[in-house]
Amino acid sequence: QVQLQESGPGLVKPSQTLFLACTVSGASGPTAFYYWAWIRHPPGKGLEWMGVISYTGSTYYSPSLKSRTSIARDTYKNQFTLQLLSVTPEDTAVYYCDASKKLILGATEKNQYDYWGQGTQVTVSS
């Protein structure tokens, strides 16, 4: 059974860089060939797809966030990471990491993913 666990700072100051990690456990065999995504849920708004990294290392980003977002993977640590530059209070959200068998750009429905992390709250405030 694959498990995903997000980690990172709960509070970030405006203009700083947000760095989150998603630790993956239990992924082997077919699940090693999954797609690993980041989604966020701002307060009072809907889920927002941020981007995804494939098992080959290819990345795809939301057009609205592409200039500030970078997703990478660290196979030695069994992690994939999210870096978001120049954060503002509008980046305040619960951030989730997810995994799916198929590449579905922009997917935000839970049933489009095979595994979800529990989410981590990030607040951008001075």
Side-chain angles (χ1 to χ4, degrees):
Q1 181 74 7
V2 176
Q3 293 185 323
L4 307 175
Q5 179 66 60
E6 304 90 348
S7 60
L11 180 65
V12 185
K13 293 183 178 180
S15 79
Q16 289 186 338
T17 296
L18 170 65
F19 187 86
L20 296 176
C22 180
T23 301
V24 181
S25 60
S28 63
T31 56
F33 300 99
Y34 274 31
Y35 296 87
W36 311 90
W38 287 96
I39 294 174
R40 66 182 183 180
H41 195 179
K45 299 182 180 179
L47 290 168
E48 180 180 18
W49 182 82
M50 301 184 71
V52 62
I53 186 166
S54 77
Y55 53 89
T56 63
S58 297
T59 52
Y60 307 85
Y61 298 108
S62 165
S64 65
L65 295 170
K66 185 176 182 179
S67 64
R68 298 195 293 130
T69 306
S70 178
I71 297 175
R73 59 180 187 166
D74 185 333
T75 54
Y76 292 104
K77 293 183 179 179
N78 289 327
Q79 289 182 338
F80 65 106
T81 60
L82 172 72
Q83 182 174 276
L84 185 63
L85 305 176
S86 304
V87 297
T88 72
E90 291 191 350
D91 293 310
T92 294
V94 177
Y95 286 74
Y96 297 93
C97 59
D98 318 281
S100 62
K101 298 175 188 175
K102 299 181 180 180
L103 175 61
I104 307 175
L105 299 182
T108 57
E109 298 295 325
K110 212 157 191 177
N111 60 12
Q112 293 177 304
Y113 292 93
D114 296 275
Y115 304 101
W116 278 69
Q118 64 181 23
T120 186
Q121 173 69 47
V122 175
T123 300
V124 180
S125 174
S126 56

